Amino acid sequence: MVKNILKIFLFGALLLGTPQLTLGNSAIEIIENEISNIAVSVNESVLHVTGANGQMLYIYNVAGVRVMSFKVEGPDKRYELNLQKGCYIVKVGKVVRKISIR
């Protein structure tokens, strides 16, 4: 009798511990069909941005504070960044890149 109760308990625990598939709206949306032609690179303190004409460009420090922002005016632009040496995050459109000013 005790063995049967133990078997039922273990079977129930196994069922409760099994991952379940739930259907519903996901909080995360993955967009795969959107191809971005935006390129961001840096050499010394010159930021080179291509393919972002008309978009806003934001630069954040590693603490998440926005230190610079401007609108990209042209398909191929270079910007001299007057920032201290260190790591920064560049966001233009949906593209986010880490850069290092040396």
Side-chain angles (χ1 to χ4, degrees), residues 12-45:
L14 179 65
L15 287 178
L16 291 176
T18 305
Q20 301 293 319
L21 176 65
T22 58
L23 300 176
N25 291 339
S26 174
I28 299 173
E29 179 181 353
I30 299 173
I31 301 173
E32 294 180 9
N33 60 354
E34 190 171 311
I35 298 172
S36 177
N37 293 327
I38 298 172
V40 177
S41 63
V42 66
N43 185 10
E44 298 292 326
S45 64

Side-chain angles (χ1 to χ4, degrees), residues 44-98:
E44 298 292 326
S45 64
V46 177
L47 182 70
H48 183 209
V49 181
T50 59
N53 189 22
Q55 300 213 25
M56 288 299 296
L57 185 138
Y58 302 99
I59 300 177
Y60 301 89
N61 64 15
V62 292
V65 177
R66 186 186 314 163
V67 294
M68 194 177 283
S69 65
F70 46 87
K71 188 171 184 177
V72 178
E73 299 292 342
D76 188 355
K77 296 296 283 184
R78 294 179 192 274
Y79 300 97
E80 177 69 35
L81 302 178
N82 294 322
L83 297 172
Q84 294 181 356
K85 293 180 180 180
C87 293
Y88 295 89
I89 306 297
V90 176
K91 180 177 187 266
V92 57
K94 293 186 178 184
V95 174
V96 179
R97 297 286 184 263
K98 180 183 76 169

